[in-house]
PDB file of all heavy atoms in Angstrom:
ATOM      1  N   ILE O   1      -8.259 -11.576  -2.770  1.00 96.00           N
ATOM      2  CA  ILE O   1      -7.023 -10.799  -2.900  1.00 96.00           C
ATOM      3  C   ILE O   1      -7.117  -9.853  -4.095  1.00 96.00           C
ATOM      4  O   ILE O   1      -6.821  -8.649  -3.991  1.00 96.00           O
ATOM      5  CB  ILE O   1      -5.809 -11.738  -3.049  1.00 96.00           C
ATOM      6  CG1 ILE O   1      -5.538 -12.477  -1.735  1.00 96.00           C
ATOM      7  CG2 ILE O   1      -4.570 -10.950  -3.479  1.00 96.00           C
ATOM      8  CD1 ILE O   1      -4.499 -13.578  -1.851  1.00 96.00           C
ATOM      9  N   PHE O   2      -7.539 -10.388  -5.236  1.00 96.00           N
ATOM     10  CA  PHE O   2      -7.624  -9.577  -6.452  1.00 96.00           C
ATOM     11  C   PHE O   2      -8.631  -8.436  -6.285  1.00 96.00           C
ATOM     12  O   PHE O   2      -8.396  -7.317  -6.739  1.00 96.00           O
ATOM     13  CB  PHE O   2      -8.007 -10.451  -7.650  1.00 96.00           C
ATOM     14  CG  PHE O   2      -6.998 -11.503  -7.984  1.00 96.00           C
ATOM     15  CD1 PHE O   2      -7.390 -12.713  -8.569  1.00 96.00           C
ATOM     16  CD2 PHE O   2      -5.644 -11.302  -7.736  1.00 96.00           C
ATOM     17  CE1 PHE O   2      -6.449 -13.684  -8.888  1.00 96.00           C
ATOM     18  CE2 PHE O   2      -4.703 -12.280  -8.051  1.00 96.00           C
ATOM     19  CZ  PHE O   2      -5.107 -13.468  -8.636  1.00 96.00           C
ATOM     20  N   LYS O   3      -9.756  -8.721  -5.627  1.00 94.00           N
ATOM     21  CA  LYS O   3     -10.785  -7.687  -5.433  1.00 94.00           C
ATOM     22  C   LYS O   3     -10.264  -6.584  -4.513  1.00 94.00           C
ATOM     23  O   LYS O   3     -10.480  -5.394  -4.769  1.00 94.00           O
ATOM     24  CB  LYS O   3     -12.044  -8.320  -4.836  1.00 94.00           C
ATOM     25  CG  LYS O   3     -13.216  -7.338  -4.728  1.00 94.00           C
ATOM     26  CD  LYS O   3     -13.684  -6.924  -6.121  1.00 94.00           C
ATOM     27  CE  LYS O   3     -14.992  -6.146  -6.092  1.00 94.00           C
ATOM     28  NZ  LYS O   3     -14.856  -4.809  -5.478  1.00 94.00           N
ATOM     29  N   HIS O   4      -9.571  -6.972  -3.450  1.00 92.00           N
ATOM     30  CA  HIS O   4      -9.000  -5.966  -2.554  1.00 92.00           C
ATOM     31  C   HIS O   4      -7.986  -5.100  -3.303  1.00 92.00           C
ATOM     32  O   HIS O   4      -7.948  -3.879  -3.117  1.00 92.00           O
ATOM     33  CB  HIS O   4      -8.317  -6.640  -1.356  1.00 92.00           C
ATOM     34  CG  HIS O   4      -9.249  -6.927  -0.221  1.00 92.00           C
ATOM     35  ND1 HIS O   4     -10.305  -7.800  -0.338  1.00 92.00           N
ATOM     36  CD2 HIS O   4      -9.296  -6.456   1.053  1.00 92.00           C
ATOM     37  CE1 HIS O   4     -10.954  -7.856   0.809  1.00 92.00           C
ATOM     38  NE2 HIS O   4     -10.365  -7.042   1.675  1.00 92.00           N
ATOM     39  N   ALA O   5      -7.154  -5.735  -4.133  1.00 91.00           N
ATOM     40  CA  ALA O   5      -6.148  -4.981  -4.890  1.00 91.00           C
ATOM     41  C   ALA O   5      -6.812  -4.050  -5.897  1.00 91.00           C
ATOM     42  O   ALA O   5      -6.392  -2.899  -6.068  1.00 91.00           O
ATOM     43  CB  ALA O   5      -5.200  -5.943  -5.602  1.00 91.00           C
ATOM     44  N   GLU O   6      -7.856  -4.547  -6.562  1.00 91.00           N
ATOM     45  CA  GLU O   6      -8.568  -3.722  -7.534  1.00 91.00           C
ATOM     46  C   GLU O   6      -9.198  -2.508  -6.860  1.00 91.00           C
ATOM     47  O   GLU O   6      -9.251  -1.417  -7.440  1.00 91.00           O
ATOM     48  CB  GLU O   6      -9.650  -4.550  -8.231  1.00 91.00           C
ATOM     49  CG  GLU O   6     -10.352  -3.795  -9.350  1.00 91.00           C
ATOM     50  CD  GLU O   6     -11.469  -4.595  -9.992  1.00 91.00           C
ATOM     51  OE1 GLU O   6     -12.296  -5.154  -9.247  1.00 91.00           O
ATOM     52  OE2 GLU O   6     -11.523  -4.645 -11.228  1.00 91.00           O
ATOM     53  N   ASP O   7      -9.665  -2.696  -5.628  1.00 88.00           N
ATOM     54  CA  ASP O   7     -10.277  -1.598  -4.869  1.00 88.00           C
ATOM     55  C   ASP O   7      -9.246  -0.754  -4.132  1.00 88.00           C
ATOM     56  O   ASP O   7      -9.601   0.076  -3.292  1.00 88.00           O
ATOM     57  CB  ASP O   7     -11.288  -2.159  -3.862  1.00 88.00           C
ATOM     58  CG  ASP O   7     -12.489  -2.801  -4.533  1.00 88.00           C
ATOM     59  OD1 ASP O   7     -12.719  -2.516  -5.720  1.00 88.00           O
ATOM     60  OD2 ASP O   7     -13.191  -3.604  -3.877  1.00 88.00           O
ATOM     61  N   ASN O   8      -7.974  -0.997  -4.425  1.00 81.00           N
ATOM     62  CA  ASN O   8      -6.862  -0.262  -3.810  1.00 81.00           C
ATOM     63  C   ASN O   8      -6.783  -0.471  -2.296  1.00 81.00           C
ATOM     64  O   ASN O   8      -6.321   0.399  -1.563  1.00 81.00           O
ATOM     65  CB  ASN O   8      -6.959   1.234  -4.118  1.00 81.00           C
ATOM     66  CG  ASN O   8      -5.635   1.951  -3.958  1.00 81.00           C
ATOM     67  OD1 ASN O   8      -4.574   1.346  -4.145  1.00 81.00           O
ATOM     68  ND2 ASN O   8      -5.672   3.218  -3.599  1.00 81.00           N
ATOM     69  N   LYS O   9      -7.205  -1.636  -1.847  1.00 79.00           N
ATOM     70  CA  LYS O   9      -7.088  -1.970  -0.429  1.00 79.00           C
ATOM     71  C   LYS O   9      -5.791  -2.753  -0.212  1.00 79.00           C
ATOM     72  O   LYS O   9      -5.798  -3.903   0.211  1.00 79.00           O
ATOM     73  CB  LYS O   9      -8.296  -2.792   0.030  1.00 79.00           C
ATOM     74  CG  LYS O   9      -9.613  -2.034  -0.038  1.00 79.00           C
ATOM     75  CD  LYS O   9     -10.770  -2.916   0.395  1.00 79.00           C
ATOM     76  CE  LYS O   9     -12.096  -2.171   0.323  1.00 79.00           C
ATOM     77  NZ  LYS O   9     -13.236  -3.043   0.699  1.00 79.00           N
ATOM     78  N   VAL O  10      -4.697  -2.104  -0.545  1.00 75.00           N
ATOM     79  CA  VAL O  10      -3.380  -2.723  -0.443  1.00 75.00           C
ATOM     80  C   VAL O  10      -2.561  -1.951   0.586  1.00 75.00           C
ATOM     81  O   VAL O  10      -2.562  -0.729   0.587  1.00 75.00           O
ATOM     82  CB  VAL O  10      -2.651  -2.714  -1.802  1.00 75.00           C
ATOM     83  CG1 VAL O  10      -1.253  -3.295  -1.671  1.00 75.00           C
ATOM     84  CG2 VAL O  10      -3.456  -3.496  -2.832  1.00 75.00           C
ATOM     85  N   GLY O  11      -1.873  -2.681   1.446  1.00 69.00           N
ATOM     86  CA  GLY O  11      -1.093  -2.018   2.481  1.00 69.00           C
ATOM     87  C   GLY O  11      -1.967  -1.650   3.670  1.00 69.00           C
ATOM     88  O   GLY O  11      -2.976  -2.301   3.952  1.00 69.00           O
ATOM     89  N   VAL O  12      -1.615  -0.584   4.342  1.00 59.00           N
ATOM     90  CA  VAL O  12      -2.376  -0.169   5.521  1.00 59.00           C
ATOM     91  C   VAL O  12      -3.712   0.428   5.097  1.00 59.00           C
ATOM     92  O   VAL O  12      -3.868   0.872   3.958  1.00 59.00           O
ATOM     93  CB  VAL O  12      -1.581   0.862   6.347  1.00 59.00           C
ATOM     94  CG1 VAL O  12      -0.325   0.249   6.914  1.00 59.00           C
ATOM     95  CG2 VAL O  12      -1.238   2.087   5.504  1.00 59.00           C
ATOM     96  N   PRO O  13      -4.725   0.437   5.985  1.00 59.00           N
ATOM     97  CA  PRO O  13      -6.037   0.997   5.633  1.00 59.00           C
ATOM     98  C   PRO O  13      -5.940   2.440   5.151  1.00 59.00           C
ATOM     99  O   PRO O  13      -5.022   3.180   5.519  1.00 59.00           O
ATOM    100  CB  PRO O  13      -6.815   0.904   6.957  1.00 59.00           C
ATOM    101  CG  PRO O  13      -6.149  -0.196   7.707  1.00 59.00           C
ATOM    102  CD  PRO O  13      -4.704  -0.130   7.332  1.00 59.00           C
ATOM    103  N   ALA O  14      -6.907   2.838   4.328  1.00 55.00           N
ATOM    104  CA  ALA O  14      -6.882   4.166   3.703  1.00 55.00           C
ATOM    105  C   ALA O  14      -6.795   5.285   4.739  1.00 55.00           C
ATOM    106  O   ALA O  14      -6.091   6.279   4.537  1.00 55.00           O
ATOM    107  CB  ALA O  14      -8.124   4.340   2.832  1.00 55.00           C
ATOM    108  N   ARG O  15      -7.495   5.134   5.854  1.00 54.00           N
ATOM    109  CA  ARG O  15      -7.488   6.207   6.858  1.00 54.00           C
ATOM    110  C   ARG O  15      -6.102   6.379   7.474  1.00 54.00           C
ATOM    111  O   ARG O  15      -5.736   7.469   7.914  1.00 54.00           O
ATOM    112  CB  ARG O  15      -8.522   5.925   7.942  1.00 54.00           C
ATOM    113  CG  ARG O  15      -8.228   4.708   8.790  1.00 54.00           C
ATOM    114  CD  ARG O  15      -9.342   4.479   9.817  1.00 54.00           C
ATOM    115  NE  ARG O  15      -9.060   3.361  10.687  1.00 54.00           N
ATOM    116  CZ  ARG O  15      -9.264   2.093  10.386  1.00 54.00           C
ATOM    117  NH1 ARG O  15      -9.779   1.793   9.206  1.00 54.00           N
ATOM    118  NH2 ARG O  15      -8.976   1.130  11.247  1.00 54.00           N
ATOM    119  N   ILE O  16      -5.323   5.275   7.521  1.00 53.00           N
ATOM    120  CA  ILE O  16      -3.964   5.358   8.029  1.00 53.00           C
ATOM    121  C   ILE O  16      -3.023   5.890   6.954  1.00 53.00           C
ATOM    122  O   ILE O  16      -2.089   6.640   7.234  1.00 53.00           O
ATOM    123  CB  ILE O  16      -3.468   3.981   8.519  1.00 53.00           C
ATOM    124  CG1 ILE O  16      -4.439   3.403   9.549  1.00 53.00           C
ATOM    125  CG2 ILE O  16      -2.077   4.089   9.112  1.00 53.00           C
ATOM    126  CD1 ILE O  16      -4.573   4.245  10.801  1.00 53.00           C
ATOM    127  N   GLN O  17      -3.299   5.522   5.698  1.00 54.00           N
ATOM    128  CA  GLN O  17      -2.457   5.984   4.594  1.00 54.00           C
ATOM    129  C   GLN O  17      -2.424   7.498   4.519  1.00 54.00           C
ATOM    130  O   GLN O  17      -1.422   8.097   4.133  1.00 54.00           O
ATOM    131  CB  GLN O  17      -2.964   5.413   3.271  1.00 54.00           C
ATOM    132  CG  GLN O  17      -2.712   3.927   3.102  1.00 54.00           C
ATOM    133  CD  GLN O  17      -3.166   3.427   1.745  1.00 54.00           C
ATOM    134  OE1 GLN O  17      -3.290   4.199   0.804  1.00 54.00           O
ATOM    135  NE2 GLN O  17      -3.407   2.141   1.640  1.00 54.00           N
ATOM    136  N   LEU O  18      -3.547   8.128   4.879  1.00 51.00           N
ATOM    137  CA  LEU O  18      -3.617   9.582   4.832  1.00 51.00           C
ATOM    138  C   LEU O  18      -2.609  10.220   5.785  1.00 51.00           C
ATOM    139  O   LEU O  18      -2.191  11.359   5.591  1.00 51.00           O
ATOM    140  CB  LEU O  18      -5.035  10.050   5.186  1.00 51.00           C
ATOM    141  CG  LEU O  18      -6.126   9.671   4.179  1.00 51.00           C
ATOM    142  CD1 LEU O  18      -7.491  10.093   4.695  1.00 51.00           C
ATOM    143  CD2 LEU O  18      -5.853  10.313   2.828  1.00 51.00           C
ATOM    144  N   MET O  19      -2.223   9.472   6.822  1.00 47.00           N
ATOM    145  CA  MET O  19      -1.291  10.007   7.815  1.00 47.00           C
ATOM    146  C   MET O  19       0.157   9.642   7.491  1.00 47.00           C
ATOM    147  O   MET O  19       1.076  10.056   8.159  1.00 47.00           O
ATOM    148  CB  MET O  19      -1.643   9.468   9.208  1.00 47.00           C
ATOM    149  CG  MET O  19      -3.034   9.884   9.669  1.00 47.00           C
ATOM    150  SD  MET O  19      -3.373   9.376  11.365  1.00 47.00           S
ATOM    151  CE  MET O  19      -3.397   7.593  11.187  1.00 47.00           C
ATOM    152  N   LEU O  20       0.341   8.805   6.478  1.00 48.00           N
ATOM    153  CA  LEU O  20       1.680   8.337   6.142  1.00 48.00           C
ATOM    154  C   LEU O  20       2.147   8.908   4.808  1.00 48.00           C
ATOM    155  O   LEU O  20       1.348   9.178   3.916  1.00 48.00           O
ATOM    156  CB  LEU O  20       1.702   6.803   6.066  1.00 48.00           C
ATOM    157  CG  LEU O  20       1.342   6.052   7.354  1.00 48.00           C
ATOM    158  CD1 LEU O  20       1.304   4.555   7.072  1.00 48.00           C
ATOM    159  CD2 LEU O  20       2.344   6.357   8.454  1.00 48.00           C
ATOM    160  N   LYS O  21       3.425   9.033   4.691  1.00 51.00           N
ATOM    161  CA  LYS O  21       3.999   9.471   3.426  1.00 51.00           C
ATOM    162  C   LYS O  21       3.905   8.339   2.420  1.00 51.00           C
ATOM    163  O   LYS O  21       4.136   7.190   2.744  1.00 51.00           O
ATOM    164  CB  LYS O  21       5.469   9.853   3.648  1.00 51.00           C
ATOM    165  CG  LYS O  21       6.177  10.363   2.405  1.00 51.00           C
ATOM    166  CD  LYS O  21       7.621  10.699   2.726  1.00 51.00           C
ATOM    167  CE  LYS O  21       8.358  11.161   1.482  1.00 51.00           C
ATOM    168  NZ  LYS O  21       9.772  11.477   1.773  1.00 51.00           N
ATOM    169  N   SER O  22       3.545   8.672   1.193  1.00 51.00           N
ATOM    170  CA  SER O  22       3.445   7.650   0.155  1.00 51.00           C
ATOM    171  C   SER O  22       4.792   6.960  -0.009  1.00 51.00           C
ATOM    172  O   SER O  22       5.834   7.599  -0.054  1.00 51.00           O
ATOM    173  CB  SER O  22       3.027   8.295  -1.171  1.00 51.00           C
ATOM    174  OG  SER O  22       3.005   7.347  -2.196  1.00 51.00           O
ATOM    175  N   ARG O  23       4.763   5.605  -0.114  1.00 61.00           N
ATOM    176  CA  ARG O  23       6.009   4.841  -0.145  1.00 61.00           C
ATOM    177  C   ARG O  23       5.985   3.812  -1.279  1.00 61.00           C
ATOM    178  O   ARG O  23       4.993   3.131  -1.483  1.00 61.00           O
ATOM    179  CB  ARG O  23       6.225   4.130   1.180  1.00 61.00           C
ATOM    180  CG  ARG O  23       7.463   3.266   1.190  1.00 61.00           C
ATOM    181  CD  ARG O  23       7.804   2.746   2.563  1.00 61.00           C
ATOM    182  NE  ARG O  23       9.019   1.965   2.506  1.00 61.00           N
ATOM    183  CZ  ARG O  23      10.230   2.479   2.412  1.00 61.00           C
ATOM    184  NH1 ARG O  23      10.385   3.778   2.401  1.00 61.00           N
ATOM    185  NH2 ARG O  23      11.290   1.713   2.341  1.00 61.00           N
ATOM    186  N   ASP O  24       7.081   3.729  -1.982  1.00 73.00           N
ATOM    187  CA  ASP O  24       7.240   2.745  -3.046  1.00 73.00           C
ATOM    188  C   ASP O  24       7.804   1.463  -2.435  1.00 73.00           C
ATOM    189  O   ASP O  24       8.923   1.450  -1.914  1.00 73.00           O
ATOM    190  CB  ASP O  24       8.196   3.288  -4.110  1.00 73.00           C
ATOM    191  CG  ASP O  24       8.189   2.442  -5.370  1.00 73.00           C
ATOM    192  OD1 ASP O  24       7.959   1.219  -5.255  1.00 73.00           O
ATOM    193  OD2 ASP O  24       8.417   2.988  -6.463  1.00 73.00           O
ATOM    194  N   ARG O  25       7.040   0.377  -2.512  1.00 76.00           N
ATOM    195  CA  ARG O  25       7.440  -0.890  -1.900  1.00 76.00           C
ATOM    196  C   ARG O  25       8.728  -1.445  -2.501  1.00 76.00           C
ATOM    197  O   ARG O  25       9.452  -2.199  -1.865  1.00 76.00           O
ATOM    198  CB  ARG O  25       6.286  -1.899  -2.067  1.00 76.00           C
ATOM    199  CG  ARG O  25       6.508  -3.223  -1.365  1.00 76.00           C
ATOM    200  CD  ARG O  25       5.266  -4.088  -1.529  1.00 76.00           C
ATOM    201  NE  ARG O  25       5.485  -5.387  -0.929  1.00 76.00           N
ATOM    202  CZ  ARG O  25       6.098  -6.398  -1.544  1.00 76.00           C
ATOM    203  NH1 ARG O  25       6.543  -6.237  -2.772  1.00 76.00           N
ATOM    204  NH2 ARG O  25       6.256  -7.562  -0.929  1.00 76.00           N
ATOM    205  N   ARG O  26       9.028  -1.067  -3.725  1.00 83.00           N
ATOM    206  CA  ARG O  26      10.221  -1.581  -4.375  1.00 83.00           C
ATOM    207  C   ARG O  26      11.510  -1.110  -3.684  1.00 83.00           C
ATOM    208  O   ARG O  26      12.541  -1.764  -3.774  1.00 83.00           O
ATOM    209  CB  ARG O  26      10.225  -1.168  -5.850  1.00 83.00           C
ATOM    210  CG  ARG O  26       9.103  -1.811  -6.656  1.00 83.00           C
ATOM    211  CD  ARG O  26       9.033  -1.246  -8.053  1.00 83.00           C
ATOM    212  NE  ARG O  26       8.703   0.178  -8.039  1.00 83.00           N
ATOM    213  CZ  ARG O  26       8.617   0.927  -9.134  1.00 83.00           C
ATOM    214  NH1 ARG O  26       8.840   0.399 -10.325  1.00 83.00           N
ATOM    215  NH2 ARG O  26       8.321   2.219  -9.052  1.00 83.00           N
ATOM    216  N   LEU O  27      11.423   0.008  -2.963  1.00 84.00           N
ATOM    217  CA  LEU O  27      12.588   0.479  -2.213  1.00 84.00           C
ATOM    218  C   LEU O  27      12.981  -0.538  -1.151  1.00 84.00           C
ATOM    219  O   LEU O  27      14.172  -0.791  -0.923  1.00 84.00           O
ATOM    220  CB  LEU O  27      12.275   1.834  -1.553  1.00 84.00           C
ATOM    221  CG  LEU O  27      11.962   2.996  -2.491  1.00 84.00           C
ATOM    222  CD1 LEU O  27      11.603   4.230  -1.677  1.00 84.00           C
ATOM    223  CD2 LEU O  27      13.139   3.288  -3.416  1.00 84.00           C
ATOM    224  N   ASP O  28      11.964  -1.132  -0.506  1.00 82.00           N
ATOM    225  CA  ASP O  28      12.247  -2.134   0.520  1.00 82.00           C
ATOM    226  C   ASP O  28      12.898  -3.372  -0.086  1.00 82.00           C
ATOM    227  O   ASP O  28      13.758  -4.010   0.540  1.00 82.00           O
ATOM    228  CB  ASP O  28      10.954  -2.522   1.246  1.00 82.00           C
ATOM    229  CG  ASP O  28      10.384  -1.371   2.051  1.00 82.00           C
ATOM    230  OD1 ASP O  28      11.176  -0.591   2.601  1.00 82.00           O
ATOM    231  OD2 ASP O  28       9.154  -1.241   2.122  1.00 82.00           O
ATOM    232  N   VAL O  29      12.470  -3.740  -1.298  1.00 84.00           N
ATOM    233  CA  VAL O  29      13.051  -4.900  -1.980  1.00 84.00           C
ATOM    234  C   VAL O  29      14.535  -4.658  -2.260  1.00 84.00           C
ATOM    235  O   VAL O  29      15.385  -5.526  -2.006  1.00 84.00           O
ATOM    236  CB  VAL O  29      12.302  -5.184  -3.299  1.00 84.00           C
ATOM    237  CG1 VAL O  29      13.007  -6.282  -4.078  1.00 84.00           C
ATOM    238  CG2 VAL O  29      10.863  -5.576  -3.016  1.00 84.00           C
ATOM    239  N   LEU O  30      14.868  -3.466  -2.745  1.00 88.00           N
ATOM    240  CA  LEU O  30      16.262  -3.141  -3.049  1.00 88.00           C
ATOM    241  C   LEU O  30      17.109  -3.104  -1.775  1.00 88.00           C
ATOM    242  O   LEU O  30      18.246  -3.580  -1.757  1.00 88.00           O
ATOM    243  CB  LEU O  30      16.339  -1.793  -3.771  1.00 88.00           C
ATOM    244  CG  LEU O  30      15.730  -1.769  -5.185  1.00 88.00           C
ATOM    245  CD1 LEU O  30      15.668  -0.351  -5.716  1.00 88.00           C
ATOM    246  CD2 LEU O  30      16.530  -2.652  -6.128  1.00 88.00           C
ATOM    247  N   LYS O  31      16.550  -2.564  -0.709  1.00 86.00           N
ATOM    248  CA  LYS O  31      17.272  -2.519   0.571  1.00 86.00           C
ATOM    249  C   LYS O  31      17.521  -3.927   1.093  1.00 86.00           C
ATOM    250  O   LYS O  31      18.605  -4.250   1.584  1.00 86.00           O
ATOM    251  CB  LYS O  31      16.469  -1.707   1.588  1.00 86.00           C
ATOM    252  CG  LYS O  31      16.430  -0.213   1.290  1.00 86.00           C
ATOM    253  CD  LYS O  31      15.418   0.514   2.156  1.00 86.00           C
ATOM    254  CE  LYS O  31      15.788   0.479   3.609  1.00 86.00           C
ATOM    255  NZ  LYS O  31      14.831   1.249   4.436  1.00 86.00           N
TER     256      LYS O  31
END
């Protein structure tokens, strides 16, 4: 888990992230 996070492998895969708008996860927590 720590290695994936360090390598920025968090959330959807990088190739999919390029197609998505950057999102702050904390917004979901507040909602």
Side-chain angles (χ1 to χ4, degrees):
I1 290 171
F2 297 150
K3 186 66 170 68
H4 273 64
E6 185 183 48
D7 294 342
N8 201 29
K9 295 179 180 178
V10 177
V12 295
R15 66 182 183 279
I16 305 298
Q17 288 183 22
L18 294 176
M19 298 185 293
L20 299 175
K21 181 180 178 181
S22 176
R23 177 170 182 76
D24 191 329
R25 185 176 177 276
R26 294 173 296 178
L27 297 177
D28 294 325
V29 173
L30 293 171
K31 290 169 65 177

